[in-house]
Amino acid sequence: MLSKDMTIRNASGFHIRPAQLFTEKAAAFKADITVQVQKNSDQVEVDGKSVLGLMTLGLEKGSVIRITTNGTDAQEALDALAQLVESGFGEA
């Protein structure tokens, strides 16, 4: 199991387009992928391959998430998803 903490960088946060891009990228891997965020005193975890799950997190610019991958291609999945988040999902 691998994980990496990331900060949402794009100005509009994690709206439908970034969520769609994230799930499309995640679906390309066999690894189980989860996204976690701290909400008040609770740790919330959703399936990284679920657009609806990701949208329920309500992530804004500056939100810190933890991407966790587990499976045969876990490292490749984590690297690809981290690169996507770091790129700001291609938004200017």
Side-chain angles (χ1 to χ4, degrees):
M1 185 179 309
L2 303 170
S3 64
K4 184 171 186 172
D5 292 343
M6 308 282 312
T7 301
I8 302 298
R9 297 178 178 200
N10 54 315
S12 55
F14 209 76
H15 56 88
I16 189 68
R17 183 180 168 280
Q20 182 68 36
L21 291 173
F22 191 97
T23 57
E24 286 174 359
K25 183 75 70 177
F29 298 96
K30 293 179 184 175
D32 293 324
I33 299 167
T34 59
V35 177
Q36 301 169 343
V37 64
Q38 188 74 30
K39 292 274 192 175
N40 301 316
S41 61
D42 296 324
Q43 185 79 15
V44 180
E45 179 178 293
V46 299
D47 181 351
K49 296 181 181 181
S50 167
V51 172
L52 183 58
L54 293 171
M55 293 301 299
T56 64
L57 296 176
L59 301 172
E60 300 175 348
K61 181 178 181 179
S63 296
V64 177
I65 62 172
R66 173 169 291 159
I67 302 169
T68 302
T69 58
N70 188 28
T72 57
D73 53 1
Q75 185 66 60
E76 294 86 355
L78 185 59
D79 292 344
L81 294 168
Q83 181 179 13
L84 183 62
V85 174
E86 287 173 356
S87 77
F89 302 94
E91 295 182 358

